[in-house]
Amino acid sequence: MSATVGRSDFDRVMVPNYAPVNMVPVRGAGSRLWDQQDREYVDLAGGIAVNALGHAHPAMIEALNEQAHKLWHVSNIMTNEPALRLADKLVRATFAERVFFANSGAEANEAAFKLARRWGHNTCGAQKHQIIACTNSFHGRSLFTVSVGGQPKYSEGFGPAMGGISHVPYQDIAALEAAISDDTCAVVLEPVQGEGGVIPASTEYLRAVRALCDKHHALLVFDEVQSGMGRTGKLFAYMQSGVVPDILTSAKSLGGGFPISAMLTTAAIAEHFVVGTHGSTYGGNPLACAVAERVLDIVNTPAVLDGVQQRHETIRAELEQMGTEFGVFSSVRGSGLLLGAVMSDTFKGRAKDVQALAQEEGVLVLQAGPDVVRLAPSLIIEQEDIAEGMTRLRAALRRMVG
Ligand code: PLP
């Protein structure tokens, strides 16, 4: 294969805000990827919880091809059939009555936070604009979303901090109770903190958050960009706890690799976005919606959702076994196919080394901070890919301790 560009060109032509690994993937099929040298990898990273149906799924290719021959883009001065069909299916499948489409998780959250503020402004007055989020949370990289995100390293150095946003520790209901007031327009959280270390919230905590929001007439916003679209074994993680948000954001697995995101809400809240209040040129793009519709059709079936739990159990048992055998992991946590193996005290801070060694052994994994190795594979990963991935990960850990 004649590659005319390679990894070294990244440093020459790209803004240096990423440090991509030292190989360049060129094709994928299912849960396998191949690089420029035709070296093959088992993909347990899933494009950071995006490739819900793996790489090059035939049904997604078919949906994309079909739509590519019909209509690519019309902008928001027209609606289109794929967008209407996808919105209808999302509404039928969830608590929501209205959908706003955007292109990334950050944009869906930006819309959610703006809507919450506009709702507060319209229903109670300008003072009802306070947003409470959780420390260590992640909601995207736009200025509003890094400000709501609870990791100061992402918001510092970009000028004056945005006002009206405060943070409380995740899973600490007393802290939220102390912070919330009638001026709070929204409480924002991830039902499973992803980037923050793969930490699922308890049902009791979520119920108590819901009750506090109701008491103070504040909206509950669930960021399900990472936890949604089947990742936890339910279509959305909120369905596991039964705690229903007022606004939910989805992205990543929604498009299975095609950029699309959605903000879901009720009709009464949606009303506060009137014509001209908010928008996106590409949001609801026919290509993106056609692919996402197909992803939703496949993911929202008992076969796929039940399969997530079975795969969770297989992988978790393997990781726990490896953790004990090598003393590398102290625990394994997470939900469905969003799993985090926590580094033991001896190996604290070395999740990155696991990632690098795993790649050398031919398996791709992620980090969630320095102390957690994160796995977010395809929801339909084959058993033989899991087995091979675990064999390769085991080889990586053996090298790490040896
Ligand atoms: N929200 C959560 C929970 C995420 O995990 C992410 C990305 O990792 C985002 C928002 C931002 O999504 P995007 O990178 O598509 O803007």
Side-chain angles (χ1 to χ4, degrees):
M1 181 185 296
S2 65
T4 53
V5 287
R7 171 62 182 83
S8 60
D9 293 301
F10 182 91
D11 303 327
R12 190 174 57 79
V13 295
M14 300 289 221
V15 171
N17 62 317
Y18 301 120
V21 302
N22 60 3
M23 61 88 174
V24 179
V26 291
R27 71 192 160 88
S31 288
R32 305 272 173 144
L33 267 184
W34 286 266
D35 69 13
Q36 289 181 307
Q37 280 66 47
D38 214 25
R39 193 162 173 235
E40 171 251 314
Y41 302 84
V42 177
D43 185 4
L44 303 181
I48 319 189
V50 167
N51 300 308
L53 302 178
H55 299 278
H57 191 287
M60 290 173 67
I61 294 175
E62 185 189 67
L64 185 61
N65 264 333
E66 248 175 45
Q67 189 57 42
H69 285 94
K70 286 188 195 159
L71 186 68
W72 283 37
H73 176 78
V74 288
S75 90
N76 52 43
I77 64 161
M78 288 170 236
T79 189
N80 66 78
E81 291 179 353
L84 293 169
R85 280 199 304 267
L86 176 60
D88 183 58
K89 287 182 180 176
L90 286 169
V91 162
R92 285 171 193 274
T94 66
F95 74 96
E97 296 159 328
R98 298 290 184 270
V99 180
F100 171 82
F101 288 121
N103 313 288
S104 66
E107 284 170 87
N109 284 331
E110 184 85 17
F113 305 159
K114 282 180 72 179
L115 177 59
R117 282 216 165 144
R118 186 52 73 105
W119 168 87
H121 180 278
N122 290 355
T123 56
C124 297
Q127 81 292 346
K128 195 172 178 72
H129 66 263
Q130 296 284 339
I131 293 176
I132 304 178
C134 291
T135 47
N136 224 22
S137 62
F138 186 79
H139 299 297
R141 297 297 199 127
S142 71
L143 201 50
F144 201 170
T145 55
V146 288
S147 305
V148 173
Q151 304 191 51
K153 65 179 180 198
Y154 295 138
S155 57
E156 282 164 4
F158 293 107
M162 263 183 101
I165 300 164
S166 60
H167 295 95
V168 293
Y170 192 56
Q171 309 251 46
D172 183 341
I173 199 67
L176 180 62
E177 192 160 13
I180 199 167
S181 78
D182 290 348
D183 291 343
T184 305
C185 69
V187 174
V188 179
L189 58 88
E190 297 161 83
V192 183
Q193 272 195 347
E195 301 300 306
V198 190
I199 308 170
S202 72
T203 297
E204 302 79 73
Y205 171 70
L206 295 173
R207 281 199 191 123
V209 174
R210 178 73 267 180
L212 281 175
C213 286
D214 293 344
K215 183 172 167 203
H216 292 280
H217 192 48
L219 300 182
L220 178 57
V221 180
F222 280 170
D223 176 345
E224 291 229 31
V225 166
Q226 190 153 166
S227 64
M229 282 301 288
R231 184 72 30 205
T232 65
K234 297 278 183 196
L235 184 62
F236 288 101
Y238 85 85
M239 295 169 175
Q240 231 152 17
S241 64
V243 174
V244 178
D246 300 294
I247 301 178
L248 180 149
T249 55
S250 175
K252 289 190 183 276
S253 293
L254 178 60
F258 203 102
I260 179 170
S261 64
M263 177 192 69
L264 312 183
T265 189
T266 63
I269 297 166
E271 260 178 23
H272 296 275
F273 264 2
V274 295
V275 174
T277 324
H278 190 63
S280 160
T281 298
Y282 288 115
N285 169 278
L287 287 173
C289 291
V291 174
E293 184 193 0
R294 198 64 65 95
V295 174
L296 181 60
D297 285 345
I298 295 171
V299 167
N300 197 20
T301 55
V304 170
L305 295 175
D306 296 347
V308 168
Q309 195 48 35
Q310 287 158 15
R311 288 165 174 83
H312 167 94
E313 273 146 33
T314 308
I315 298 175
R316 188 181 194 124
E318 289 269 3
L319 292 174
E320 281 170 350
Q321 211 275 327
M322 280 181 227
T324 317
E325 187 179 336
F326 299 111
V328 169
F329 304 139
S330 59
S331 63
V332 179
R333 64 193 180 203
S335 185
L337 286 172
L338 185 55
L339 287 138
V342 184
M343 303 306 290
S344 65
D345 285 345
T346 321
F347 292 93
K348 216 171 166 41
R350 294 189 57 193
K352 196 171 182 45
D353 296 343
V354 176
Q355 188 183 8
L357 285 168
Q359 189 201 317
E360 283 178 26
E361 294 297 329
V363 57
L364 303 172
V365 300
L366 300 162
Q367 285 180 259
D371 299 324
V372 179
V373 175
R374 177 175 34 154
L375 270 50
S378 156
L379 306 183
I380 56 169
I381 182 171
E382 301 285 348
Q383 289 303 333
E384 82 178 82
D385 293 327
I386 295 178
E388 184 59 27
M390 291 298 127
T391 300
R392 294 180 190 185
L393 186 58
R394 188 178 292 273
L397 296 182
R398 192 171 292 120
R399 277 175 61 197
M400 182 142 160
V401 298

